[in-house]
Amino acid sequence: MRSMGGEQVEEAVAGAVALLRTATDRDWAALPAGRLEWSCRYTAEHIASDLIAYAGQLAGRATEAYVPFEITLDDGTDNEGVLHVVETTGALLAATVRTTPHEVRAFHPYPFRSANRGGFAAMGITEVLAHTHDIAEGLGLAYEPPAELCADVLARIFPHVQPGADPWRTLLWATGRGELPGRAPVTEWRWRNNLVIEAERLTLQGVTPAAATDLAAGGGGGFEWVESGPFQGTRDAAGMLLKAYEAGVHRPEWGVFVLVRRQDGRAVGGMGFHGAPDEDGRVEIGYDLAEAARGHGYATEALRALSAWALAREEVTSVFATTEHANLASQAVIVRAGFTRVAGDEEQLAYELRGPRG
């Protein structure tokens, strides 16, 4: 699975413009765009507005709200002119995505109030694909973007949606634009940018199914790793995430996180939950570090941060972790993070950290 970047933005825009350019002689302002209340003309202008807004968020490093500007087309701009603006704003977003460092995040409200360059690229591409579909319906044109592009978007910005055999039909369903056998119609939907949890020297960055695909296959998941990373446990956890995603039971906030060092943006390890909280509110955490990053307290810091995040959720009463008897280093990490030993058998020791509802 490809990383989400400027090339994919350009691919989506080029395909949309090529199709719509075949119907610039039509009166777009008089025709509704598919199921929308907007006209085809307004919807095309909306695509351009979204693309430039996302580029502005990243380029302007906005952290608290949207950058307060909007795009306005000159009076008398014809349909061909609108498409030129779409091409231009698409090029601006693609260039911004290419030149923005991986660690930069900018404001977006859904669902965790920020997104990185891959998130903004995926949102921009989805706007292009979905609204080109709307305009094409209004104009009576056949439109089907590349399946690989649709699958990339789903794995990056719709991690809670079970992938289907037909990525384009799945994306249409996920955005409330179609039906899929065996699935209820979607009447409301939101983007699902990955969760990032802040710690003192680290950020814990949620792993998307797209990143997990690369990690499980031996890649870096889009992260720059320290020497000897990622460790096998992180790759195994990524594989488990993929299985949950493919089964339609993945809950992104209860998945896997990569530990990224603030000082240089390097990934040093992985940490995550073994699943969502059980019926008693208990959730299990596992972790590992690249060998080159051990001995610096990173695991303890990350475990404290992720445990605190979990215990602040209403559905969580306690966090627990297990380790082998011989793994004295892991036991020390767990104890330093505030856990108490609660059980053990011949193979493992169990530790627990209880919250205010525990």
Side-chain angles (χ1 to χ4, degrees):
M1 186 170 292
R2 303 172 298 177
S3 61
M4 187 60 63
E7 179 182 346
Q8 287 71 42
V9 174
E10 292 171 338
E11 180 183 6
V13 171
V17 169
L19 175 71
L20 298 180
R21 192 159 271 149
T22 66
T24 53
D25 59 333
R26 306 279 296 281
D27 185 358
W28 290 8
L31 296 171
R35 307 179 187 186
L36 303 182
E37 296 180 357
W38 300 343
S39 70
C40 291
R41 167 68 180 231
Y42 181 86
T43 304
E45 294 179 4
H46 176 78
I47 293 173
S49 294
D50 282 334
L51 293 172
I52 193 64
Y54 292 154
Q57 290 301 97
L58 276 177
R61 304 295 196 262
T63 59
E64 300 297 330
Y66 285 109
V67 179
F69 78 101
E70 62 182 6
I71 187 171
T72 302
L73 276 64
D74 291 343
D75 290 342
T77 301
D78 60 10
N79 293 337
E80 179 59 37
V82 174
L83 293 181
H84 190 193
V85 175
V86 170
E87 288 177 314
T88 303
T89 53
L92 288 171
L93 177 57
T96 305
V97 168
R98 286 194 177 100
T99 56
T100 299
H102 179 271
E103 294 308 301
V104 170
R105 298 187 72 84
F107 173 82
H108 191 279
Y110 304 118
F112 303 115
R113 299 186 64 79
S114 73
N116 63 10
R117 65 189 186 192
F120 280 107
M123 289 187 287
I125 292 167
T126 304
E127 294 285 358
V128 172
L129 302 185
H131 288 314
T132 299
H133 163 80
D134 299 331
I135 299 170
E137 271 198 337
L139 297 173
L141 302 175
Y143 174 62
E144 182 160 346
E148 185 180 17
L149 184 60
C150 298
D152 289 345
V153 167
L154 287 165
R156 178 58 183 79
I157 205 69
F158 294 93
H160 56 298
V161 171
Q162 182 179 17
D166 187 329
W168 175 227
R169 301 292 176 266
T170 303
L171 182 59
L172 288 175
W173 171 82
T175 57
R177 288 172 168 80
E179 298 181 355
L180 282 181
R183 304 197 198 187
V186 172
T187 57
E188 292 185 7
W189 63 277
R190 297 290 189 191
W191 310 115
R192 295 287 298 187
N193 281 294
N194 64 321
L195 172 64
V196 173
I197 298 172
E198 305 285 341
E200 182 180 355
R201 296 172 297 163
L202 306 169
T203 58
L204 284 65
Q205 303 187 18
V207 172
T208 66
T213 299
D214 189 50
L215 281 167
F223 297 91
E224 293 291 332
W225 288 82
V226 296
E227 185 181 354
S228 76
F231 202 65
Q232 187 59 42
T234 297
R235 298 197 188 282
D236 292 342
M240 293 172 61
L241 186 157
L242 283 177
K243 289 181 180 179
Y245 172 61
E246 291 164 358
V249 296
H250 176 49
R251 292 180 60 184
E253 64 271 34
W254 301 108
V256 180
F257 296 80
V258 166
L259 316 182
V260 179
R261 196 162 55 192
R262 290 182 185 274
Q263 69 181 41
D264 58 5
R266 294 277 180 173
V268 299
M271 182 172 290
F273 302 102
H274 290 199
D278 64 19
E279 59 185 11
D280 295 320
R282 300 173 74 238
V283 64
E284 182 176 1
I285 284 182
Y287 60 90
D288 66 18
L289 286 181
E291 292 182 7
R294 295 173 185 175
H296 300 283
Y298 294 139
T300 300
E301 179 180 325
L303 184 56
R304 286 172 178 159
L306 190 57
S307 298
W309 181 87
L311 291 172
R313 314 275 78 76
E314 290 187 1
E315 65 266 45
V316 176
T317 58
S318 65
V319 179
F320 71 100
T322 61
T323 186
E324 297 175 352
H325 283 268
N327 195 339
L328 299 180
S330 181
Q331 293 168 33
V333 166
I334 294 170
V335 171
R336 284 197 298 267
F339 286 66
T340 301
R341 180 176 167 181
V342 293
D345 55 29
E346 294 182 357
E347 296 183 356
Q348 292 186 321
L349 299 173
Y351 295 80
E352 186 176 46
L353 182 63
R354 303 189 70 83
R357 289 171 294 279

